[in-house]
Amino acid sequence: VRLGRSSNDTNYRGLVAAHLARYKQYPADARSRGASGTASVSFTIGGSGGVTSVRLAHGSGIASIDAEVQAMVRRASPFPSPPNGRPQSFTVPVSFRLN
């Protein structure tokens, strides 16, 4: 994701990351099998904060984790509105690790 260097962009990226983290759920079947992995999800947030698109950017190799990262973005919608009111796109890696 290429964002400008303004503090608004940096702050907004942090807001999006923090908001998204609240909706992360470890898939039950992956947890029970002790499976871990990282999947990247790409999504676009519209000017009013709603998610306008979401897709798997890079799979983890574990179907339930790949499905969860996309479901997580949908559950998190709406996000805080972008500071300039223009749609913004993100690609974020989401790691699932058992402690």
Side-chain angles (χ1 to χ4, degrees):
V1 174
R2 276 198 213 124
L3 295 176
R5 299 207 178 264
S6 80
S7 62
N8 271 355
D9 285 341
T10 303
N11 291 347
Y12 185 65
R13 188 169 175 75
L15 272 176
V16 167
H19 182 81
L20 193 59
R22 290 195 290 271
Y23 294 87
K24 181 177 173 181
Q25 297 172 3
Y26 210 113
D29 76 299
R31 181 185 298 279
S32 66
R33 290 183 297 143
S36 61
T38 300
S40 292
V41 63
S42 294
F43 58 98
T44 301
I45 299 171
S48 63
V51 172
T52 58
S53 70
V54 59
R55 70 176 179 80
L56 188 66
H58 188 273
S60 67
I62 300 161
S64 62
I65 287 178
D66 295 349
E68 167 55 22
V69 295
Q70 296 172 83
M72 175 182 67
V73 171
R74 290 187 190 99
R75 279 194 308 273
S77 184
F79 284 81
S81 298
N84 57 11
R86 289 196 312 263
Q88 291 199 27
S89 295
F90 299 87
T91 298
V92 296
V94 182
S95 293
F96 291 87
R97 298 266 181 267
L98 292 170
N99 294 335

